[in-house]
Amino acid sequence: MDMSDPDYHMNELKMEKDYSESVAALLPEVEQLANSGQIPQALEKLHVLEKKTRSAGDLASTSQLLIRIVTVCGDSCSWALLEQEVAAMAKKHGQLKQAIVKMVQSAMEYVDKTPDEQTRVELIEALRTVTEGKIHVEVERARLTRMRVAIYEQKGQIKEACDALQEVQVETYGSMDKREKTDFILEQMRLCLAKRDYIRLAIISHKINPKYFQTEGTEDLKLRFYELMIQYDLHEENYLEVCRHYKQVYETKGIKDDTAKWPAVLQNMVLYLVLSPYGNEQSDMLHRVQKEDHNLEKLELCAQLVKGFTTLELTRWPAVETIYGGEFRKTDVFSAQTEDGNKRWMALRDRVIEHNIRVIAKYYTRARTQRLTELLDLPGDDVERFLSKAVVDGTIYARIDRPAGVVNFAKPSDSEEQLNGWASDVSKLLGLVEKTTHLIAKEEIVNKIARAI
């Protein structure tokens, strides 16, 4: 049997007899009965012929009849009858699966035509019952679930909406288009965020491969995805990830080509990068942004801030407040009106102090605590706290002698390191002696030749 044949996948019977002529002859008669209000008689005639076409495996005729059954009920606004007919037809022995698919799709068109919300919900639930557990109508069930979820949301029932949507595992659906599948998962993420279920949101986000957004025509999905991820990582205070998300948004063609949009995105990217804890990745990204992104020069304050963190010079916090406070405190990142904004502003102060400590450790081998309090604009206890944190994080080496009030930044070397250092120095010395001897000999030869001439 040919595996590409739809009959193979759907396990449909081969057609034994073609009833297309009988169907064509019956439909005008059914339409006449339906128009005259004789719905039961019209349905009865359709049922009789449907049984024959189903038994003969005539997919086209069966589908046509099932769709007609749906339209007769739907056009007459017999909603309860529509639900009963769809459920009954789907349960018929040997019912053709493709015919069920077309019947459900036809019934779904009447969801928006229902007169009130209760009728709409009842029809959706009836169709969801029909499609439950059937692979061939899994896509239709997913779409029906979204309709139900929309109603939950309109009524403010976020928890019920989120739980209903989580039941549908669209990532396993082979018959659903990838764009629709991604859109569905993004909707699941959005509802998890609305429900404040951050753990589930993080799990669901891994179902989307960011490489898919390189496909043409997915820009809107990409922006939605990274907007949700930004909100999640802001909640987790994972600022480096927030910066990465803004970088992806910034590199989107529709954003980078729009002079009204990219400045705000680039500014947020830089601010969250500066807020990120110091590390190899953060430092590397900071230097790359400074060297490679020419748009940064157009944002003067951001360019100055990046330069302050990439230069091994002290950046005094009072000066930072004076230079950047007026502008940055108006942004959403450091808004003075929100608790999160004030919290991030204090986090920026911590990053400035940590940067200054790294600079001091670079240039000093020993420093008095009193001098450090002046350089860092901090009281003594806070100096110790920041020094201890930097040592624990592994960014500097330091030892505090409290009685003497001295901080030692020079890392002591063990005997093996000292021997290696001496050996290296001796090697350099011998190299210089050898080079000097060679130059002297060369000079003597030149002089001898000059005298001989």
Side-chain angles (χ1 to χ4, degrees), residues 28 41 176 203 239 267 294 307 392:
Q41 291 85 340
M176 183 179 277
I203 294 169
Y239 297 132
Q267 177 176 276
H294 301 298
K307 185 179 179 182
V392 171

Side-chain angles (χ1 to χ4, degrees), residues 369 373 378-388 400 402:
T369 308
T373 60
L378 288 173
D381 291 344
D382 285 348
V383 168
E384 280 197 18
R385 180 168 62 84
F386 277 100
L387 281 172
S388 301
I400 302 173
R402 278 181 176 165

